[in-house]
Amino acid sequence: MMTMIPLFLSLLSLLLVTLPATLASHSPPIFFPGATYPSSSLKQDDTLKKNIPFKTQFFPQILDHFTYHPKSYIIFYQKYLINSQFWHHGAPIFVYTGNEGNIEWFAANTGFLLDIAPKFRALLVFIEHRYYGESLPFGKDSYNSAEMVGYLNSQQALADYAVLIRSLKQNLSSEASPVVVFGGSYGGMLAAWFRLKYPHVAIGALASSAPILHFDDIIPQTSFYDAVSQDFKSVSLNCYQVIKGSWAELAAFSSQGQGLAELSKNFKSCKGLPSVDAAQNWLWAAFVYTAMVNYPTEANFMMHLPAYPVKEMCKIIDALPPGETKLSKAFAAASLYYNYSQTEKCFNIEHGSDAHGLHGWDWQACTEMVMPMSCSSESMFTPYSYNYSAFAEECMKMYGVTPRPHWITTEFGGKQIEKILKRFGSNIIFSNGMQDPWSRGGVLKNISASIVALVTEEGAHHVDFRFATKDDPNWLVEQRRQEVDIIQSWIDEYYCDLRS
Ligand SMILES: *[C@@H]1O[C@H](CO)[C@@H](O)[C@H](O)[C@H]1NC(C)=O
Ligand SMILES: *[C@@H]1O[C@H](CO)[C@@H](O)[C@H](O)[C@H]1NC(C)=O
Ligand SMILES: *[C@@H]1O[C@H](CO)[C@@H](O)[C@H](O)[C@H]1NC(C)=O
Ligand SMILES: *[C@@H]1O[C@H](CO)[C@@H](O)[C@H](O)[C@H]1NC(C)=O
């Protein structure tokens, strides 16, 4: 039976991200791509809505695909975006399997599909994930209790996509159109799993930066933060050492009670002086997200940032005089992340805003998406050992539920993935950029002739999904070309099978 615990929205949004940061027994904040930290302009997604070339539709979706309890039949309206300007009847349908946020945000950051649609004459569909954006089964009450939010999980989301795609094809009288699914990050995990679970619905999947191996004990727990640190270290050893040394200074300020004064000298907090824990998380987020989006061109995904932002951060640190504290250097570097636009009047340090509606990830992290993470002494963060019991206690407090840390590997696999998928499965591209710390939980080796890993040393978090620009480096142009060629081969094969 599900425990009913009333919780209020304000409690949920940032709790997991900020909770563990007591400097004495700190655990790293949880930074899934969708975690809640950054972003300043709350209205951003409304603006996006007007500026992306998609029509918004709502589909009556069923609440629970897997039981026949009367409540299962409750209908909610699931949003999807559609673009048919390039489509010819019978041509392919490209579906983006939405992740943990407003679908407009992902549509705006997946220009790749608009770039390739004309070549394939493809219909483009971006489906919003249930419980995100406007696809809320119980409206504003959707997160009020575990009873309400309990229908938020990846298996329900995949089933939503399958049901919606079938309905769409039927309405378009286009049952024979091949469907290819695309997704980045968590959306990439969904795209890959969708191909494995619904091979009769999608002929192939392009899963970009999808850390499907970041579960259980498949990869070392330290991988993620080691990878972030490696990004900085490989640019400048000094930069890495400054950041690594800044945490002890922050802790010392804290214990001497002078931290806040020192912090206030360095930056303008919107709501008075931040707590030291909040300041630590704020810095931590800046370094993690900048590593993730270490793109080769200027971009605005998490935040507006210059090309190769890790290098730019380290330039700031390396240029400051030796007399400055490591902490103030770290703050100066973080300002690149939070204030590259140079228009921020003050920083929201205690509470990052949630411009893209991502807070539902906390629930997912507390139930099925359990990704163990530690910081090794080699990393530039303070060492920390993952403590599952402590994590589970926090989840119980927040939602009244206990995580199921082995469910994802039970439901979708992941252990010995090469041996398994070599004999089962086909037509999946796993693309990863090694600058992205999530790449360490990705599939980095070719598994079979049609389950292919495209890995770029200089790539970052689903960089291949961004609009092509004239400044794109050759490796990126080449990666996208390979992706298009492979997708073309799936489609050719599909039509060939259809004819015979
Ligand atoms: C297909 O048409 C039905 C009936 O008009 C409608 O309810 C449903 O939302 C449509 N499907 C999609 C995916 O739009
Ligand atoms: C952001 O940058 C501008 C320009 O350098 C500066 O005037 C402003 O104070 C900065 N904002 C914060 C909060 O530090
Ligand atoms: C892990 O957390 C539990 C529950 O909070 C605590 O009792 C235990 O001492 C912790 N273990 C370690 C090794 O810190
Ligand atoms: C996988 O195979 C493709 C060719 O199909 C190749 O371009 C690519 O580099 C291979 N990936 C890895 C990680 O070796």
Side-chain angles (χ1 to χ4, degrees), residues 113-129:
L113 290 189
L114 280 163
D115 282 343
I116 67 173
K119 175 185 161 66
F120 291 97
R121 299 174 154 198
L123 180 71
L124 301 183
V125 183
F126 281 74
I127 312 178
E128 191 161 77
H129 193 296

Side-chain angles (χ1 to χ4, degrees), residues 6 50 65 130 153 181 211 233 287 310 366 379 390 398 400 460 475:
K50 292 190 202 90
H65 299 284
R130 58 166 57 204
N153 64 57
V181 286
K233 201 175 186 174
F287 299 131
V310 171
C366 266
S379 90
M398 276 175 72
W475 54 262

Side-chain angles (χ1 to χ4, degrees), residues 102-121:
N102 301 343
I103 193 63
E104 289 82 9
W105 186 42
F106 298 106
N109 282 285
T110 314
F112 176 66
L113 290 189
L114 280 163
D115 282 343
I116 67 173
K119 175 185 161 66
F120 291 97
R121 299 174 154 198

Side-chain angles (χ1 to χ4, degrees), residues 228 232 243 247 283-291 313 330 333-334 380-381:
V228 175
F232 284 84
I243 297 169
W247 312 112
L283 287 172
W284 203 308
F287 299 131
V288 169
Y289 285 127
T290 301
M313 271 192 169
M380 65 182 199
F381 300 96

Side-chain angles (χ1 to χ4, degrees), residues 91-211:
I93 300 175
F94 289 172
V95 174
Y96 186 93
T97 51
N99 14 341
E100 72 284 23
N102 301 343
I103 193 63
E104 289 82 9
W105 186 42
F106 298 106
N109 282 285
T110 314
F112 176 66
L113 290 189
L114 280 163
D115 282 343
I116 67 173
K119 175 185 161 66
F120 291 97
R121 299 174 154 198
L123 180 71
L124 301 183
V125 183
F126 281 74
I127 312 178
E128 191 161 77
H129 193 296
R130 58 166 57 204
Y131 285 88
Y132 293 96
E134 292 176 271
S135 303
L136 300 171
F138 301 104
K140 63 178 174 29
D141 297 330
S142 297
Y143 284 94
N144 277 3
S145 65
E147 186 84 9
M148 300 287 202
V149 72
Y151 302 91
L152 166 54
N153 64 57
S154 56
Q155 298 98 91
Q156 297 279 9
L158 294 175
D160 289 342
Y161 299 151
V163 170
L164 195 155
I165 292 168
R166 277 191 72 157
S167 169
L168 183 69
K169 288 178 90 169
Q170 191 178 18
N171 290 2
L172 296 169
S173 309
S174 197
E175 261 97 348
S177 281
V179 171
V180 179
V181 286
F182 297 77
S185 196
Y186 169 51
M189 291 158 53
L190 293 173
W193 292 335
F194 191 85
R195 168 64 186 159
L196 297 174
K197 288 278 164 195
Y198 298 94
H200 52 291
V201 183
I203 65 160
L206 170 49
S208 182
S209 300

